[in-house]
Amino acid sequence: MAKLAENIQQESELVATFSEIVEVKNQDLLQENANVDGQSPMGQMGKFASESSKYYAKEFLLHPKVRQAIEENYLHPHDLDFYTTGTTTCCQIPLGKLLKDGFNTGHGHMREPANITSAMALASIVFQANQNMQHGGQSYPMFDFDLAPYVRKTFEKHLQKIRSYPTTWTDEEITKQAWKETEKDVYQACEAFIHNCNSMHSRGGGQVPFVSINYGTDTSKEGRLLVKNLLLATQAGLGNGETPIFPIQIFKMKQGINFSENDPNYDLYQLALQTTAKRLFPNFSFIDSTFNAQYYDGTPESEVSYMGCRTRVMSNVHGEENSISRGNLSFTSINLVKIALTSNTVDMFMNQLNHYIDIGIHQLLDRFDFQIKKQAKNFSFLYSQHVWKDSETLKEEDTLEEVLKHGTLSLGFIGLAEALVALTGKHHGENEESYELGLEIIRMMRKRMDDATKKHHLNFTLIATPAEGLSGKFTKRDQAEFGKIPGVTNRDYYTNSFHVPVYYPIKAVDKINKEGPFHALCNAGHISYIECDGDVSKNTQALDQIVKAMATANMGYGSINHPVDRCKACGHVGIIDNACPECKNEDENLIERIRRITGYLVGDMTKWNSAKYREEQERVKHQ
């Protein structure tokens, strides 16, 4: 009888959720992900499917102790709605291999492109095709290296064409003109690629592909030309001057390549600073940080690559350690705040945390066992097109254990700052003892993941959770149980992972130095943000200092936030307070405010859930 009553209650809650979707009133429900238009027909259909799938997963796929931890607000398996499909989270796609060998998205083979225009078009198609195979993000780890050969092909075609003309030009003049024509093609190809990334549909039309590209270290003429024009096309924006929100662009920093004034790609780094000052991308990753440098052997394949909000995949107990053709399989987050609120001492907190780590590991293993029972034919593009590592060994009926073993299983965390306030009265940004305790907590979590890797011979890793919808979900439920406790549950959100709270006034360099050590501990992914005030396009030197400070602090991945607004009435791009300085427009509906939500950009803040919207409002600037 008790089980029957529970089922009736759960079905009643599901029907109530369906009603909220139909009525299109619950912003937090419809916009858990700001990259999805939850109010569109396809967005609503996706939400119906999502809520139904979550219900099935909870009822039939989760162990009772996992279900209990979720119901008690200690644990959150991400993308639980996709659990039933057996998909994986994300992948670093081997673009160069796909372009060279050709690929098939379902009907007909795409042969190797003969120029950069076709290559960039196919790069868009690969992103779109792969997006429908996985529930997370897609990324190209070596964008400049992979596309450089097609810049060369374009140049050679122009060279051959010009040489066929009757002309008195010297070979030097012919070559110069061929490169000029090539550059024009490269710019147009980059422009089209960016437009495609912001307009293509995936997942039934409810979402543009969530995509990232890594670049900046190819010193060849072709690679440099590509990056230069990609940055210029990003600066130019979309058709009406809008800031592109995809792809997430990540400029890889490396000493001897682009870090110092005498480095061959230093000029591209300066252009990257100018571009991020205007368009918020690129972000910056650091190959020389200790935990990334250990994998670097001088080849492009060994360079660290990030994707999406922060995901990083490098170590591998099953073979070659790099990002290529690998990704995260799934990840689950722990509510550190709830554990702190139910602990009377630090020792009790650590014991409870260990308990929920055990449950988290159990859940990740269960999900892995479910994923590997799927067959290669269930994910035709990922495996038949050899996107995933070792997938060329699979036949259609084969199960997936031999390829998915290369992926990562990640445990994450949210609300370190609030947990520390609950335990000590201060967060790690304002008190040194709290800071040391924070490091101790995350060190312990990382050790548990390393131990799980050895025990299960799978790639367990620790991620600094990119909390979007979760930042408010955990908080609301804890508020209902504990009330609004100052510094702990009195806001609408919990602080993202290990970050110093967004509302706490702190100098940029101090924030960087405090957050830096956590990057090394969170080997599944990490990011730190610095909030700048004013028009930073007039002071790229300050941005350079921030990026260099991140490198010095041994960070792996960082970004710089600042206001980027656009008046829809006249097209003015810049900082808009109450009225457009150009046309004096004061209608807030006609002002587009681009902001970073967890690691990616959102072009319309009306798509943010209430918790992240409140967090953005409370972000202080770092001097």
Side-chain angles (χ1 to χ4, degrees):
M1 289 296 292
K3 181 63 177 175
L4 177 62
E6 181 185 343
N7 287 342
I8 292 172
Q9 173 67 22
Q10 289 174 343
E11 288 176 9
S12 175
E13 290 173 356
L14 184 61
V15 171
T17 300
F18 285 170
S19 297
E20 289 186 311
I21 296 170
V22 171
E23 293 165 5
V24 199
K25 289 181 179 178
N26 188 335
Q27 177 82 354
D28 291 345
L29 174 65
L30 293 171
Q31 296 300 161
E32 285 186 290
N33 185 330
N35 185 38
V36 177
D37 184 358
Q39 299 186 27
S40 69
M42 290 301 103
Q44 286 182 278
M45 281 299 295
K47 201 60 188 170
F48 276 116
S50 172
E51 294 303 315
S52 303
S53 183
K54 285 179 188 175
Y55 174 81
Y56 183 89
K58 287 178 182 176
E59 282 297 297
F60 301 105
L61 299 179
L62 296 181
H63 190 280
K65 66 181 179 182
V66 173
R67 191 183 313 124
Q68 181 180 353
I70 294 171
E71 290 169 354
E72 293 178 353
N73 209 37
Y74 288 105
L75 207 67
H76 178 84
H78 291 264
D79 301 293
L80 185 61
D81 47 348
F82 280 94
Y83 192 137
T84 56
T85 70
T87 64
T88 53
T89 303
C90 54
C91 186
Q92 292 278 7
I93 301 170
L95 176 61
K97 183 175 80 170
L98 288 175
L99 292 178
K100 184 170 180 54
D101 296 344
F103 58 89
N104 189 325
T105 61
H107 179 73
H109 186 77
M110 305 289 178
R111 63 178 178 270
E112 182 179 13
N115 55 54
I116 189 60
T117 303
S118 298
M120 294 286 265
L122 291 178
S124 301
I125 291 169
V126 169
F127 264 155
Q128 188 178 37
N130 207 70
Q131 180 81 30
N132 290 313
M133 295 287 112
Q134 303 193 265
H135 60 249
Q138 329 305 321
S139 178
Y140 292 138
M142 305 185 300
F143 196 63
D144 41 3
F145 288 99
D146 286 342
L147 287 165
Y150 302 98
V151 176
R152 169 57 63 172
K153 283 176 179 283
T154 303
F155 165 73
E156 288 172 350
K157 281 195 169 186
H158 281 301
L159 191 64
Q160 185 178 8
K161 180 182 68 175
I162 296 170
R163 281 177 174 164
S164 70
Y165 297 157
T167 178
T168 59
W169 286 355
T170 65
D171 279 348
E172 183 179 350
E173 289 170 329
I174 290 173
T175 300
K176 184 177 180 181
Q177 183 62 26
W179 278 117
K180 185 177 179 181
E181 294 294 326
T182 300
E183 181 152 16
K184 185 198 292 186
D185 287 350
V186 171
Y187 180 84
Q188 290 177 341
C190 290
E191 186 178 50
F193 175 75
I194 290 170
H195 278 71
N196 281 336
C197 287
N198 289 274
S199 60
M200 291 187 304
H201 282 174
S202 66
R203 295 176 182 164
Q207 184 178 10
V208 294
F210 191 99
V211 295
S212 308
I213 55 176
N214 295 258
Y215 58 76
T217 53
D218 187 349
T219 58
S220 72
K221 186 176 181 70
E222 296 84 357
R224 285 173 43 77
L225 196 67
L226 179 86
V227 172
K228 171 190 170 184
N229 284 281
L230 180 71
L231 291 168
L232 291 175
T234 303
Q235 285 191 29
L238 301 176
N240 289 324
E242 302 95 333
T243 291
I245 60 173
F246 287 109
I248 297 170
Q249 299 184 38
I250 303 150
F251 191 93
K252 296 187 281 190
M253 299 293 295
K254 178 75 182 76
Q255 294 198 31
I257 300 292
N258 51 35
F259 198 85
S260 302
E261 196 167 348
N262 294 326
D263 291 344
N265 283 1
Y266 184 73
D267 58 333
L268 295 179
Y269 167 55
Q270 293 301 307
L271 185 59
L273 291 174
Q274 295 168 21
T275 307
T276 201
K278 186 173 182 180
R279 299 296 188 183
L280 286 164
F281 284 145
N283 301 335
F284 297 90
S285 66
F286 304 96
I287 296 171
D288 293 320
S289 60
T290 55
F291 45 88
N292 290 331
Q294 65 178 310
Y295 301 105
Y296 183 69
D297 63 11
T299 64
E301 291 80 6
S302 66
E303 296 175 356
V304 68
S305 298
Y306 290 83
M307 75 173 80
C309 299
R310 67 203 64 189
T311 309
R312 171 186 180 274
V313 176
M314 289 299 287
S315 60
N316 186 11
V317 295
H318 290 285
E320 198 172 9
E321 295 189 301
N322 58 38
S323 299
I324 313 301
S325 296
R326 301 175 59 217
N328 178 248
L329 304 179
S330 68
F331 76 102
T332 294
S333 289
I334 291 177
N335 182 355
L336 294 182
V337 189
K338 175 74 182 278
I339 296 175
L341 288 170
T342 54
S343 300
N344 296 323
T345 64
V346 171
D347 285 344
M348 185 177 177
F349 172 88
M350 289 298 198
N351 288 334
Q352 276 213 89
L353 178 55
N354 266 306
H355 171 69
Y356 287 106
I357 289 173
D358 286 338
I359 295 176
I361 290 171
H362 182 110
Q363 184 267 312
L364 289 169
L365 286 169
D366 281 351
R367 191 167 186 173
F368 176 74
D369 287 340
F370 184 83
Q371 289 170 318
I372 63 175
K373 288 181 175 65
K374 293 290 182 176
Q375 295 177 312
K377 65 182 180 182
N378 300 139
F379 307 95
S380 57
F381 189 77
L382 265 179
Y383 305 121
S384 67
Q385 302 308 304
H386 308 159
V387 173
W388 198 271
K389 190 174 182 63
D390 286 352
S391 57
E392 62 273 9
T393 65
L394 297 178
K395 295 181 176 65
E396 280 197 351
E397 305 295 327
D398 288 344
T399 52
L400 306 177
E401 53 267 37
E402 288 306 307
V403 296
L404 292 191
K405 68 183 182 182
H406 294 293
T408 59
L409 297 165
S410 302
L411 206 62
F413 60 94
I414 186 173
L416 177 64
E418 289 81 7
L420 290 170
V421 173
L423 291 170
T424 70
K426 302 282 186 181
H427 61 69
H428 55 311
E430 58 186 342
N431 179 271
E432 192 59 32
E433 288 184 9
S434 296
Y435 180 77
E436 290 303 321
L437 177 58
L439 280 175
E440 181 184 346
I441 291 168
I442 306 307
R443 282 194 195 104
M444 185 271 276
M445 295 189 74
R446 170 60 185 276
K447 184 179 185 303
R448 288 298 314 277
M449 294 301 98
D450 291 345
D451 291 344
T453 297
K454 294 173 185 175
K455 179 178 179 180
H456 301 287
H457 202 54
L458 291 169
N459 298 307
F460 278 90
T461 51
L462 181 67
I463 188 169
T465 294
E468 187 177 335
L470 183 59
S471 69
K473 278 183 181 177
F474 270 164
T475 312
K476 280 183 181 177
R477 294 183 63 186
D478 286 347
Q479 284 176 346
E481 183 174 351
F482 301 101
K484 293 191 176 183
I485 304 169
V488 184
T489 60
N490 62 321
R491 287 182 162 82
D492 293 338
Y493 57 89
Y494 286 151
T495 297
N496 191 328
S497 61
F498 57 70
H499 290 176
V500 172
V502 298
Y503 51 81
Y504 181 68
I506 186 172
K507 290 182 178 179
V509 67
D510 292 335
K511 184 176 191 292
I512 289 168
N513 288 334
K514 282 187 176 296
E515 293 184 3
F518 290 96
H519 284 232
L521 298 173
C522 299
N523 59 336
H526 41 248
I527 194 171
S528 286
Y529 314 113
I530 292 298
E531 300 283 337
C532 291
D533 202 3
D535 186 356
V536 296
S537 65
K538 295 180 172 61
N539 190 8
T540 55
Q541 184 179 0
L543 301 187
D544 174 58
Q545 291 173 350
I546 291 171
V547 173
K548 297 294 176 60
M550 289 177 171
T552 302
N554 202 35
M555 283 187 171
Y557 186 33
S559 68
I560 300 166
N561 296 341
H562 54 88
V564 174
D565 305 324
R566 185 180 70 91
C567 176
K568 297 179 183 178
C570 71
H572 172 77
V573 176
I575 297 173
I576 302 176
D577 294 322
N578 298 320
C580 172
E582 195 73 29
C583 71
K584 311 307 177 189
N585 162 49
E586 296 182 359
D587 186 350
E588 187 63 28
N589 293 321
L590 293 177
I591 298 175
E592 177 186 75
R593 301 190 186 279
I594 302 288
R595 298 294 184 271
R596 200 181 311 272
I597 188 164
T598 57
Y600 69 99
L601 305 182
V602 179
D604 183 357
M605 288 181 65
T606 61
K607 294 180 181 178
W608 289 37
N609 64 66
S610 61
K612 292 305 289 187
Y613 184 80
R614 178 62 64 185
E615 186 235 72
E616 194 279 334
Q617 288 185 318
E618 295 185 2
R619 294 175 186 174
V620 299
K621 307 301 180 186
H622 304 121
Q623 304 299 321

